[in-house]
Amino acid sequence: MKPEGFFKPSDSDFFIEFPPGPLTVGVEPVKWIESIDLATGKLLILSPTDCVKDRLAAFYHWGDEQCLRQAILIRDNSSVDLNEIERWSANEGKNQEFLRFLAE
């Protein structure tokens, strides 16, 4: 049985999450949704900056080290707004954790 708000294709081991709205990262609403046009339609996704914030939220609030590594991978391979992530981190009360994110 799969949890509410998730979809699991029969040919995959992975779930797709459909979170209830409004979509937030930490305590703030997502500011920008990006879209990718595919042959099957438009795919709406988080911007790289909001994706980093989402991964950092799991690290900040639950100590999830894997999510910290994911945030670093996104940071190192995408264009992200580090000033916005710093502002958001301060609003979350996680200045020291943000400094660790920058240092690694």
Side-chain angles (χ1 to χ4, degrees):
M1 179 172 219
K2 60 185 177 264
E4 186 92 12
F6 288 80
F7 171 73
K8 183 183 174 299
S10 59
D11 61 344
S12 175
D13 292 332
F14 299 101
F15 286 94
I16 301 169
E17 180 181 6
F18 295 95
L23 189 58
T24 62
V25 285
V27 297
E28 294 184 5
V30 169
K31 294 182 177 183
W32 183 257
I33 299 291
E34 296 200 4
S35 66
I36 299 173
D37 291 318
L38 303 171
T40 54
K42 189 173 290 212
L43 176 65
L44 301 176
I45 59 173
L46 293 176
S47 70
T49 297
D50 280 333
C51 191
V52 167
K53 288 194 266 183
D54 177 70
R55 299 295 75 212
L56 286 177
F59 168 64
Y60 289 173
H61 300 293
W62 301 308
D64 190 325
E65 294 284 330
Q66 182 178 5
C67 287
L68 173 61
R69 299 282 168 241
Q70 292 166 353
I72 291 166
L73 285 170
I74 298 164
R75 177 200 67 200
D76 291 348
N77 292 285
S78 301
S79 178
V80 299
D81 184 343
L82 288 174
N83 290 326
E84 169 60 15
I85 296 168
E86 180 177 23
R87 182 208 60 77
W88 171 82
S89 296
N91 191 48
E92 295 286 314
K94 300 296 181 179
N95 293 318
Q96 291 301 317
E97 292 86 344
F98 174 73
L99 293 175
R100 179 173 170 203
F101 163 70
L102 284 182
E104 292 195 26

